[in-house]
Amino acid sequence: MIKLKFRNEHIFHLLLLPGVILVLIYNYIPMAGIVMAFKRFSPSKGMFGSPWAGWDHFVYMLSMPNIYQVLWNTIFISAMKIIALAVVPVVFALLLNEVKNRLIKRSVQTIVYFPHFLSWIILGGIFIDILSPSEGIVNRLLQSIGIEPVYFLGDKSWFPFTLVGTEIWKEFGYGMIVYLAALAGVDPSLYESAVMDGAGRWKQTLHITLPNLVPMMVLMTILSLGNVLNAGFDQVFNLYSPQVYVSGDIIDTLVYRIGVQDAQYEVATAVGLFKSVVSLLLLSGSYALAYRYTDYRIF
């Protein structure tokens, strides 16, 4: 039976083959480099010929003076992003769902969805200009109402919140689509019954719309827990500077500086491996919670 099923579906397996090959080349074969975290790397001897260092690089990693601050920054920034992107898309989806003009609705949806496709290379330059303390439009507006200019990208107190704000601007339109799809699946007869009972739009939203969105909100939030150590390398790398390292440096940027700029490949690999192991545990836990509370499963 299994052989017959495979024979009938062999064309689909062939279609999967290019993707599987790419995953093997770019995701699995490079895993051999993990061994460098346990080696004293010597360019002359190569990665596999270098002598073993055991757990020395991990001990050194944990003794680095800024490692715990970097870990806190990563968790703090990522947690704020998770919370914000769990709330803002829902609110905007509820508001957009109330718009009856289809042309306006589709236009607004396209406009807020578009930033998702822009890279942080482009957006980094845009936000540096917009948030400039001297020439940026945001600080010009603040000055016009009597507020002193704010150095959003150079003040360690403001920088984490600037990251969250710019991330919301870029991604909330993409997250909103999931909730708009969930809203489209709500039974219209529920609203009709509510109207007959005298419920207004607010009561309908409170007692019909939101309860139908809660399972999707819980699922999206739980699944995002697996990425709590991914605070967004592209964004931080393009917006941060040395004066905000204390509040904006995350694990990925630390790995970049240690490995690429300082050429401490073994330590950078150790830090990256530590992050990957923790992320794997968090991701596994988030999928287990998603299966338990929302009956979501991958397979």
Side-chain angles (χ1 to χ4, degrees):
M1 189 63 161
I2 296 177
K3 291 183 178 179
L4 180 60
K5 185 177 180 181
F6 181 81
R7 189 180 303 116
N8 293 334
E9 297 178 353
H10 70 278
I11 186 65
F12 299 114
H13 291 87
L14 289 176
L15 290 173
L16 283 173
L17 189 59
V20 172
I21 292 174
L22 288 176
V23 169
L24 288 173
I25 293 174
Y26 293 106
N27 292 79
Y28 282 91
I29 294 178
M31 284 186 182
I34 291 174
V35 71
M36 192 178 290
F38 306 94
K39 295 270 193 171
R40 299 190 188 280
F41 179 68
S42 172
S44 61
K45 297 180 179 179
M47 183 170 61
F48 296 102
S50 299
W52 289 98
W55 297 96
D56 291 353
H57 300 310
F58 293 92
V59 174
Y60 174 77
M61 173 192 73
L62 294 175
S63 66
M64 293 170 63
N66 61 335
I67 186 64
Y68 296 105
Q69 181 63 47
V70 169
L71 185 60
W72 164 252
N73 293 342
T74 304
I75 296 174
F76 179 65
I77 293 171
S78 182
M80 286 198 300
K81 288 181 178 180
I82 290 172
I83 295 171
L85 290 176
V87 175
V88 176
V90 174
V91 173
F92 202 88
L94 290 172
L95 294 174
L96 193 60
N97 191 55
E98 296 298 318
V99 177
K100 302 305 179 185
N101 188 305
R102 294 190 64 184
L103 178 61
I104 296 177
K105 187 175 182 178
R106 294 289 178 83
S107 300
V108 173
Q109 186 176 339
T110 302
I111 291 170
V112 299
Y113 184 56
F114 177 72
H116 170 75
F117 297 99
L118 298 177
S119 71
W120 277 109
I121 298 293
I122 298 171
L123 293 178
I126 294 174
F127 282 122
I128 288 172
D129 289 337
I130 291 177
L131 301 176
S132 169
S134 56
E135 301 295 332
I137 186 173
V138 173
N139 277 304
R140 284 184 177 271
L141 290 173
L142 292 177
Q143 286 179 303
S144 68
I145 58 176
I147 300 177
E148 291 295 321
V150 178
Y151 197 0
F152 292 99
L153 298 178
D155 189 325
K156 64 181 182 180
S157 300
W158 278 98
F159 186 71
F161 302 100
T162 303
L163 291 176
V164 176
T166 52
E167 179 76 9
I168 293 172
W169 182 86
K170 184 178 186 294
E171 298 294 344
F172 87 91
Y174 181 78
M176 180 188 67
I177 292 178
V178 176
Y179 298 108
L180 286 175
L183 288 173
V186 178
D187 189 353
S189 64
L190 296 176
Y191 294 105
E192 295 171 1
S193 300
V195 171
M196 293 179 64
D197 290 338
R201 297 303 301 175
W202 171 246
K203 292 291 186 180
Q204 293 175 39
T205 301
L206 190 63
H207 296 289
I208 298 175
T209 307
L210 281 177
N212 279 277
L213 283 181
V214 166
M216 182 59 69
M217 293 170 61
V218 172
L219 173 62
M220 297 299 291
T221 303
I222 290 175
L223 292 180
S224 64
L225 294 177
N227 295 316
V228 73
L229 292 185
N230 295 319
F233 171 78
D234 292 346
Q235 179 194 23
V236 178
F237 182 75
N238 284 284
L239 293 178
Y240 83 155
S241 56
Q243 57 261 43
V244 295
Y245 278 176
V246 67
S247 64
D249 199 17
I250 60 174
I251 294 176
D252 290 332
T253 52
L254 177 66
V255 170
Y256 171 80
R257 291 203 312 278
I258 294 175
V260 177
Q261 295 183 349
D262 300 338
Q264 298 183 49
Y265 306 116
E266 315 98 309
V267 180
T269 305
V271 177
L273 179 58
F274 168 77
K275 177 203 165 186
S276 298
V277 171
V278 176
S279 296
L280 176 62
L281 296 175
L282 291 172
L283 190 62
S284 302
S286 66
Y287 276 107
L289 291 173
Y291 173 69
R292 180 174 180 178
Y293 292 106
T294 65
D295 200 29
Y296 172 85
R297 64 186 72 187
I298 304 176
F299 303 108

